[in-house]
Structures are given as C-alpha cells and as structure tokens.
Amino acid sequence: MATNKNILISGAGISGLTLAYWLQKRGFSPTIIEKRRDLHEQGYMIDFYGSGYDVAEKMNLIEQLGEKSGQYPISKLEFVDDKGKPRASLDVNKFRELLEHRYFPLMRGDLETTIYESIRDEVPIRFGVSANRLKVHDEAVEVELSNGESERYDLVIGADGIHSNIRRLMWGNESQFKRFLGFYVVCSVIDNDLFDRPNAFYGYFAPKAQTTVYSNKQNKLALFFAFKSELLNTLGRKEQMEIFTRKFGTLGWMTPKLVEAAKRSDDFFFDGAAQIELEDWHKGRVALVGDACQCLTLLAGQGASMGMAGAYLLADELYKADGDYNVAFPAYQEKLKPEIERRQKEARGLAGGFVPDNRFGIALTYLFLKVMFMPGFRSLFRKQIGAESIIK
C-alpha cells in the first residue's frame, strides 16, 4: 500500500496539471493550488512533439490536441527583410514529416487547457491561492496559504515555473540558480487588422532583434519579440514599455506598427530568457518539476514537452516506490537530470541563430533555413531540436 498519498502541487501549468493527472491515476490524492485566477492566458506558439507528445498519447489527448492545432492552418513561416521581401521560409509540412507526423503547432494555453479539462472533475484545483510558508516535519509538510489557512500534506511539489515560489521558500532566491542567456522576450496578443491572410506567419530579423507574428484564433495575432541585452535591473511595466519601444520602435518591416499594437494590448509579457540550474531537485518532502528546476528556455523549443515528461517520470517513480519519497525523488532526478543538462547546453548553443548579432549572422540563419531539410542536415536538425523522446 502506497504511503504519502496526500500531495500538494503548486502550479496549474502544464507540468503541474500533468503531474496531477498521473498521480491521480496511480492512486495518490493530489491537490493543486494556482496563484492565477484562471487559465485564460494563451502564451506563445509552441512546437509540440517528442517526449511530451508521447506523454499526451498515454493520456489519450491526441485527438483533442489535434483539433486545437487545426485552428491554426499555417503552412509556412516566412522570413522577410526590412521592406517585407521574402528571404527564407520554414515549411511546416516538412517539419511535420521530419517528426514522423507526431507534431502539433499549438498555443501554450491550448495545451494547458486540454490537460486541465482532463482532470478538472478528478483533482481539486484552487485558483487564486499560493503558499506563503512551508514547515517540513518528519512526518508531513505544514503549508501556510495566502488565504490564511494552514494545511498539512505528505509531500509538496513545486510546478510553478521559472520564478517558482516553492523553490524560493525552500532553496532561496532564484538569482542563485538562474543563468541569464543574454536576451529578453516580449509576447502579446492583438486584434488582427494588419493582415488579410487568415494564416499569416512571418518572421523578421534585425541585428540583435527578432519579430514574429502569427495568426491566432478569433481573428487575433500573436506577437513575439526577442532582443539581445545585458541583464536589466528591473522592471516595472513603464520601464518595460520604454525599453521595448526603444529596441523595436524604429526597426524595419511592420515592426513599429506591431509595437504600438502590443503596447495597447492588455495581454503583454516581458521577461529575460534564462535557464534554471539546480544541484538537487528535492529537499526532504519537497521536490520540483518542470521549469522550476529544469528550464530549457524557448531556445530549445522543448519546455512544455519536457515539463510533461518530467511530471510523468516523477509520478511513475513515486508509484514504483509506493510513495517513498526518499527513493522516488532521487530516482526521478537521476533519470531526468542528465538529459536536461545536455539539452540546456545545446539550447545555449542556439542563441546566436535565434537572435543574430549582425547582418552576416542573419544571412547564415537564412542559409540554414534553406538547407535544414536536405538529407545531410536532417539528422543533425532532429538532434538539435531534441526530437527523440525519453519516454519509453
């Protein structure tokens, strides 16, 4: 009979929801707390494949995810120059073939919502609540919640992202563990009054900056910006807007119009691209999963996928150990951490092509896009994007 069945999960994101699904299936009793009031955020577009696809298949979610992916009838990502002239493209169908058709382009929020809908009637999920304090005892963890209540759980799992609250409470300030990668990202969703195409997907490079825009459902456009920078000591929203305008407001193509639209939007996200490097992912009865301990950054294109894989493996190790966290937590870390470290290193190597420094670097990126599906480059590209699943 399994012990330590009463488990608190902090974070109703992709990793936390996936973990709750598998814990519930394995006979545990998970509860989720989530500081957000709802799951209405869409986030940015992700390429969903590899380990996460395999986990979703085990969860019988492929049909639902396929339907959501079908709402984005995008055939190619077209890269344009300052004047809007096409310079290179990425064929989505060829990308799908490279991944043996086990691939979906999705908004991050679509994946999150799909997993949530699969457990909402099985697992208690409490929105607008977070942990203020943890007291770890020999036999349980006492959790003081933001609503003033105090509760006891056998185990606590932090699945609350790169700025993890649970990690802060147990391990300390995130600056100890965060490796800044030298650029910032801005995301926004705006009304589509700029493109006639229902399936627009464009990319634009300037030295040390990137702009991407793609059609979203309900006649919306999702915007993504990235720019190279030193670490900024910030930032309030006013400062973010000023920096954003300064970096992109005078660039070519349609970028100034997109910037002004993003600044008017209620959906606006600004953050540094960073990885989390933590020696141990567990401490006593508390463990971490997903970006809280294994953040790859969007450079790798695998954050959501590997977050699901980590959640699946953690639940599996707890099940195999009959709830003995002293066995399960180290086994989970030993199985996953070497792979995460390898993929983090590979992601850091992609930074130059993701936000090229100069016109020569942009030209090299265009060249790579033109040859990436050629026979001699296919296996290299598959390895680079982490196409191989770690889920057996």
Side-chain angles (χ1 to χ4, degrees):
M1 170 117 13
T3 57
N4 299 315
K5 300 180 78 169
N6 190 24
I7 301 175
L8 179 68
I9 300 170
S10 175
I14 291 166
S15 298
L17 294 167
T18 302
L19 178 62
Y21 176 96
W22 287 108
L23 287 175
Q24 194 272 334
K25 290 291 183 183
R26 301 296 200 186
F28 294 90
S29 300
T31 297
I32 299 176
I33 56 173
E34 169 57 54
K35 67 179 181 180
R36 292 175 292 171
R37 296 292 177 181
D38 53 50
L39 298 182
H40 288 166
E41 298 173 7
Q42 281 295 297
Y44 50 82
M45 182 75 79
I46 61 173
D47 294 311
F48 185 66
Y49 57 89
S51 303
Y53 191 103
D54 285 356
V55 174
E57 191 170 52
K58 291 177 181 292
M59 297 168 72
N60 298 313
L61 298 179
I62 297 302
E63 182 177 351
Q64 297 96 307
L65 292 175
E67 291 175 357
K68 290 185 181 295
S69 180
Q71 298 173 0
Y72 312 104
I74 296 168
S75 59
K76 68 177 178 179
L77 167 54
E78 191 165 71
F79 289 88
V80 299
D81 62 16
D82 290 342
K83 304 299 183 182
K85 180 181 177 180
R87 297 297 305 275
S89 65
L90 191 157
D91 189 316
V92 174
N93 288 326
K94 287 184 178 180
F95 191 71
R96 186 176 284 110
E97 290 172 6
L98 182 75
L99 295 168
E100 300 173 351
H101 297 276
R102 299 175 65 80
Y103 161 78
F104 293 126
L106 290 165
M107 295 297 286
R108 187 178 181 89
D110 289 329
L111 178 58
E112 188 177 80
T113 300
T114 300
I115 304 171
Y116 169 71
E117 290 172 349
S118 75
I119 66 167
R120 61 185 301 176
D121 296 328
E122 307 293 334
V123 175
I125 303 176
R126 298 157 64 183
F127 289 99
V129 179
S130 59
N132 282 349
R133 188 177 179 188
L134 303 179
K135 293 181 181 178
V136 182
H137 304 288
D138 289 341
E139 70 287 354
V141 182
E142 185 178 348
V143 184
E144 294 182 11
L145 299 171
S146 59
N147 61 8
E149 298 176 1
S150 181
E151 300 174 352
R152 291 171 71 87
Y153 292 89
D154 297 322
L155 304 174
V156 172
I157 310 297
D160 41 0
I162 187 172
H163 303 302
S164 170
N165 182 46
I166 297 300
R167 188 186 64 230
R168 178 183 62 81
L169 292 173
M170 289 296 295
W171 279 263
N173 190 282
E174 74 175 41
S175 61
Q176 306 170 71
F177 318 113
K178 186 167 71 171
R179 180 195 281 242
F180 176 61
L181 297 188
F183 67 95
Y184 283 79
V185 297
V186 179
C187 302
S188 184
V189 177
I190 65 172
D191 291 330
N192 183 11
D193 55 7
L194 298 173
F195 296 98
D196 295 331
R197 287 176 52 185
N199 59 344
F201 196 177
Y202 293 104
Y204 164 74
F205 288 116
K208 299 185 178 181
Q210 178 202 141
T211 300
T212 305
V213 55
Y214 43 90
S215 299
N216 196 348
K217 53 192 174 184
Q218 299 173 343
N219 198 37
K220 299 284 187 178
L221 290 175
L223 310 181
F224 174 87
F225 305 85
F227 65 94
K228 284 196 172 176
S229 171
E230 298 296 325
L231 185 62
L232 302 171
N233 296 317
T234 46
L235 287 170
R237 178 55 55 90
K238 181 180 178 181
E239 293 173 294
Q240 292 175 356
M241 290 293 187
E242 290 174 351
I243 293 169
F244 177 48
T245 303
R246 188 166 64 249
K247 294 291 185 179
F248 289 92
T250 60
L251 296 185
W253 187 49
M254 300 181 61
T255 305
K257 290 183 180 180
L258 298 174
V259 167
E260 290 306 312
K263 289 163 61 178
R264 293 192 300 268
S265 175
D266 293 332
D267 191 329
F268 185 87
F269 170 85
F270 184 113
D271 202 2
Q275 294 176 338
I276 295 299
E277 298 174 329
L278 195 63
E279 183 174 352
D280 288 310
W281 295 355
H282 54 89
K283 185 178 289 189
R285 291 177 172 269
V286 180
L288 303 172
V289 70
D291 282 352
C293 61
Q294 64 181 58
C295 184
L296 297 173
T297 78
L298 48 84
L299 284 175
Q302 307 166 56
S305 182
M306 292 303 291
M308 291 184 71
Y312 173 82
L313 292 174
L314 176 54
D316 192 52
E317 292 300 333
L318 280 167
Y319 173 71
K320 289 190 294 186
D322 291 327
D324 185 346
Y325 65 91
N326 288 306
V327 174
F329 288 173
Y332 147 71
Q333 178 174 316
E334 182 179 356
K335 184 171 289 186
L336 185 58
K337 191 179 181 186
E339 182 67 19
I340 292 300
E341 290 176 338
R342 182 183 70 80
R343 296 191 185 205
Q344 284 183 326
K345 182 178 180 180
E346 290 178 351
R348 292 193 293 271
L350 296 174
F354 191 77
V355 189
D357 282 325
N358 48 47
R359 295 292 178 184
F360 178 71
I362 294 172
L364 288 179
T365 300
Y366 289 156
L367 178 61
F368 177 73
L369 288 166
K370 292 175 181 178
V371 303
M372 60 194 291
F373 295 119
M374 294 175 64
F377 292 89
R378 289 171 63 89
S379 60
L380 175 63
F381 184 53
R382 276 184 59 89
K383 181 177 184 297
Q384 193 175 57
I385 63 173
E388 300 305 320
S389 175
I390 65 169
I391 303 299
K392 308 300 181 183

